[in-house]
Amino acid sequence: MQPERPIDRLLRTMAKLRDPDGGCPWDLEQDFSTIAPYTIEEAYEVADAIDRGDLHALKDELGDLLLQVVFHAQMAREQGAFGFDDVAEAISEKMVRRHPHVFGEASFADAEEQTRNWEQIKRAEREAAGEADTSALAGISRGLPEWQRAVKLQSRAARTGFDWPGPEPVIAKLHEEIEEVRAEFARGDVAANRERLEDEIGDLLFVAANLARHAKVDVGAALRRANLKFERRFRAMEQLAEADGTPLPMLDLAAQEAYWERAKRRERGQPD
């Protein structure tokens, strides 16, 4: 008798958790919409482990993400829609179909040509599925994080030739958008002007995402790095202030900024 495969054990475990006769009450209460936020969260946990270079954590986080796939597949199986094997078979077929240069006779000059072919195949798949949207922007999910959706919209538009020729005009546009935001703040009443500020700040962020795209920098990775940097320096500020005998919240902004500069210097190996 062959030993049970780990994936089979996981599928059996999930089925047991969802069993109305003796399963877990919490798991039984869930549906696709309640589990979706956990799926997104686990994907970010995977990205965080990769950012930290922690392969042990990555193993655990990938397991957590796989559990989300198994959870959704189990709920679909209960409804008679599909099961985990159907999910695995569908993605296998898709990968073969979208890589004719690997599994077929096609050949491409470079990665750019292969990417164009990938998009053509996806467009054909959408048409075969009966989708009527023929726009170059068709098929970009509205469920993506907005920064990621912004980059995808820009990339798709760029393939039609609608794009800045380089980073310099994007930087000029960024300055223009900053001035427009400044003008909205100058109107005075922020609460009454919230909708216009949201509009202008949205334009500013959209252009910033475009700049990242021209730099071939992943917006999410760049923002995660900025977040980690801020957290690291802020924690150092707290420690420095505590060591000097005054909790950070007790200090005015000028004193706090002085600790911020000290934290930056220490991070760079410079003397206080």
Side-chain angles (χ1 to χ4, degrees):
M1 182 177 179
Q2 291 185 340
E4 184 178 41
R5 297 182 307 165
I7 187 61
D8 292 327
R9 181 186 180 192
L10 177 57
L11 293 168
R12 180 171 53 81
T13 299
M14 190 71 251
K16 179 61 176 175
L17 289 171
R18 290 279 298 181
D19 189 344
D21 183 16
C24 172
W26 185 88
D27 289 275
L28 285 165
E29 288 179 355
Q30 306 311 308
D31 57 30
F32 295 114
S33 63
T34 62
I35 291 298
Y38 295 101
T39 308
I40 295 168
E41 180 180 343
E42 295 301 346
Y44 277 108
E45 293 291 345
V46 168
D48 178 62
I50 293 171
D51 281 346
R52 292 184 284 108
D54 189 338
L55 293 181
H56 178 75
L58 179 59
K59 179 193 71 174
D60 289 342
E61 298 301 346
L62 286 171
D64 291 343
L65 184 58
L66 177 59
L67 177 64
Q68 299 302 306
V69 177
V70 169
F71 206 140
H72 285 288
Q74 173 63 28
M75 291 187 291
R77 189 181 71 82
E78 293 164 4
Q79 297 180 18
F82 58 82
F84 181 83
D85 285 351
D86 299 305
V87 174
E89 183 63 24
I91 188 59
S92 294
E93 289 181 356
K94 183 185 292 185
M95 289 299 98
V96 171
R97 186 169 63 248
R98 292 186 179 179
H99 292 82
H101 53 301
V102 176
F103 301 101
E105 301 300 322
S107 62
F108 304 114
D110 50 32
E112 184 177 349
E113 184 180 349
Q114 189 267 322
T115 300
R116 287 196 299 270
N117 182 260
W118 174 280
E119 292 299 333
Q120 290 172 1
I121 293 172
K122 288 173 64 177
R123 189 177 302 111
E125 290 172 352
R126 291 194 296 270
E127 291 173 357
E131 293 186 21
D133 189 353
T134 59
S135 169
L137 306 180
I140 300 177
S141 172
R142 295 185 181 275
L144 291 170
E146 294 301 336
W147 61 262
Q148 189 174 358
R149 182 168 158 77
V151 173
K152 283 187 173 290
L153 287 167
Q154 294 162 3
S155 297
R156 288 282 191 87
R159 289 182 193 137
T160 72
F162 188 70
D163 194 13
W164 299 107
E168 286 304 321
V170 185
I171 292 172
K173 185 64 175 176
L174 192 63
H175 284 290
E176 178 185 324
E177 296 297 347
I178 290 171
E179 289 307 313
E180 291 183 6
V181 170
R182 194 194 311 275
E184 292 302 329
F185 273 112
R187 290 174 180 266
D189 191 343
V190 172
N193 201 29
R194 189 173 304 278
E195 186 173 339
R196 289 180 62 87
L197 276 166
E198 183 178 283
D199 189 57
E200 296 299 346
I201 291 173
D203 290 344
L204 175 62
L205 294 173
F206 191 83
V207 176
N210 208 334
L211 184 61
R213 182 178 64 85
H214 275 272
K216 302 189 185 310
V217 167
D218 180 83
V219 181
L223 190 54
R224 280 195 300 273
R225 177 174 292 188
N227 286 341
L228 289 169
K229 185 191 300 181
F230 177 85
E231 181 179 7
R232 185 173 64 246
R233 290 176 178 176
F234 188 85
R235 289 180 181 275
M237 286 171 60
E238 292 177 314
Q239 293 170 1
L240 288 169
E242 196 69 34
D244 288 344
T246 307
L248 197 64
M250 302 294 293
L251 300 171
D252 61 23
L253 181 58
Q256 290 181 343
E257 287 181 342
Y259 278 113
W260 175 264
E261 292 301 322
R262 283 182 62 187
K264 285 172 59 178
R265 287 195 296 272
R266 286 197 173 190
E267 189 174 87
R268 295 167 180 166
Q270 300 171 347
D272 285 350

